[in-house]
Amino acid sequence: MPVEPVSFTDVSTEGLESSPAAGALAGLRANEARYFSNKYKHTFSVAPAAEAPEALAWVEEILQSEREIVPTSPALEVSVNDVDGIFWVHVFYESGLAVNVLWTREDSGKRAVGFKLSAGMEVPPELSAFKFARQKSKLAGEIRGSYFVIKGEHPLP
């Protein structure tokens, strides 16, 4: 799968142009890249969703089986990262939604799904049951986020 590194110094909407929230979603993606660089010294890269079908299917299976959530927006990009014993998959959706699955490889580790909404986007109907906390980001403006803990087993892709 060809991947492109995400810059957090030169925020670009490349790959996200079809999103009505392209600028805010690009900021959210750059915010993730900065987090991975600062915390793990790791380069955050993305690929078109069509080039990462196994990772996308894994995330969407977890959403469906754990909470009966089916994203109503097309996935644009996927990022797969394996750092410090944690397997992460991020999916960036056309609506401006970013979903990430954090899966600690150690059996007793954290496993959760996080949701982040691009600045200005409405809460998608499929996520209306969640409460969203707000945080400020120089790259993404105001990010609204929520999460849930994964209960079941979901073999890694």
Side-chain angles (χ1 to χ4, degrees), residues 86-154:
I86 304 170
F87 185 75
W88 300 74
V89 177
H90 290 71
V91 180
F92 298 93
Y93 290 91
E94 190 173 64
S95 64
L97 172 67
V99 175
N100 74 74
V101 174
L102 173 156
W103 190 276
T104 304
R105 291 180 176 279
E106 189 177 301
D107 286 341
S108 62
K110 292 181 185 177
R111 296 179 177 167
V113 173
F115 304 106
K116 290 184 180 170
L117 307 177
S118 291
M121 88 174 269
E122 295 294 322
V123 175
E126 64 268 25
L127 301 181
S128 62
F130 290 88
K131 299 260 187 266
F132 286 84
R134 298 173 188 274
Q135 76 179 62
K136 292 281 186 192
S137 163
K138 287 182 181 175
L139 293 169
E142 183 179 84
I143 299 172
R144 289 165 296 149
S146 192
Y147 75 98
F148 69 84
V149 174
I150 297 171
K151 305 279 188 211
E153 285 300 316
H154 304 275

Side-chain angles (χ1 to χ4, degrees), residues 3-137:
V3 294
E4 291 292 323
V6 175
S7 172
F8 55 89
T9 55
D10 181 25
V11 179
S12 166
T13 60
E14 187 175 342
L16 306 173
E17 297 90 350
S18 66
S19 172
L25 188 57
L28 203 120
R29 182 178 65 182
N31 190 66
E32 296 296 334
R34 182 177 58 199
Y35 171 80
F36 274 84
S37 178
N38 290 344
K39 178 144 177 109
Y40 300 108
K41 307 295 183 241
H42 176 80
T43 301
F44 187 84
S45 299
V46 293
E51 295 177 15
E54 298 87 8
L56 177 60
W58 183 69
V59 169
E60 292 189 343
E61 184 278 325
I62 290 171
L63 293 173
Q64 171 64 39
S65 66
E66 294 277 334
R67 294 293 179 99
E68 297 182 0
I69 295 170
V70 177
T72 57
S73 177
L76 298 178
E77 292 185 330
V78 174
S79 177
V80 177
N81 301 279
D82 203 340
V83 292
D84 281 9
I86 304 170
F87 185 75
W88 300 74
V89 177
H90 290 71
V91 180
F92 298 93
Y93 290 91
E94 190 173 64
S95 64
L97 172 67
V99 175
N100 74 74
V101 174
L102 173 156
W103 190 276
T104 304
R105 291 180 176 279
E106 189 177 301
D107 286 341
S108 62
K110 292 181 185 177
R111 296 179 177 167
V113 173
F115 304 106
K116 290 184 180 170
L117 307 177
S118 291
M121 88 174 269
E122 295 294 322
V123 175
E126 64 268 25
L127 301 181
S128 62
F130 290 88
K131 299 260 187 266
F132 286 84
R134 298 173 188 274
Q135 76 179 62
K136 292 281 186 192
S137 163

